[in-house]
Amino acid sequence: QVQLVESGGGLVQAGGSRSLSCAASGRTYSSYTMGWFRQAPGKEREFVAGMNWSGRSTRYAESVKGRFTISRDNAKNTVYLQMNSLKPEDTAVYYCVAHSRVGVWTSPSEYDYWGQGTQVTVSS
């Protein structure tokens, strides 16, 4: 069982940066694939970024490639999402996710564990 708690959300101006953190609890965190999804009002939940347990495999949504970076520190049981060059369309609730299988998947149904979400609002 893994519990996920996000932090770092808030209000930021367009073009700015924001870093999200996700603290995980559970003995096998280091073997889990971790990732981030987001959901904007009136829209479906969408994949943002993911990283396998070793950090050697990462995957990003096309809309955030080159702007967002996912990283993890297994010693601290924490995964991060560095968001640069933020746009108003990045405004959403961001969720930290995890699963214990092999692969960095983009479907929400593949992820067994979800955090409560943290709001990121980008003003124009």
Side-chain angles (χ1 to χ4, degrees), residues 16-18 20 36 38 46 48-49 59-61 63-71 80-87 89-91 94 120 122:
S17 298
R18 198 80 181 181
L20 304 181
W36 294 90
R38 66 186 182 186
E46 65 170 347
V48 176
R59 199 166 180 180
Y60 294 93
S63 59
V64 306
K65 272 184 181 178
R67 300 188 299 122
F68 289 13
T69 302
I70 187 171
S71 61
Y80 306 95
L81 185 67
Q82 177 64 41
M83 304 182 293
N84 298 328
S85 302
L86 283 161
K87 306 174 182 180
E89 50 264 44
D90 294 317
T91 294
Y94 283 72
V120 174
V122 183

Side-chain angles (χ1 to χ4, degrees), residues 73-119:
D73 185 337
N74 288 344
K76 295 182 178 180
N77 284 3
T78 302
V79 63
Y80 306 95
L81 185 67
Q82 177 64 41
M83 304 182 293
N84 298 328
S85 302
L86 283 161
K87 306 174 182 180
E89 50 264 44
D90 294 317
T91 294
V93 177
Y94 283 72
Y95 296 91
C96 179
V97 297
H99 74 72
S100 60
R101 295 173 295 283
V102 174
V104 182
W105 307 108
T106 61
S107 170
S109 63
E110 293 292 340
Y111 290 85
D112 304 306
Y113 305 103
W114 291 73
Q116 82 287 352
T118 186
Q119 176 72 45

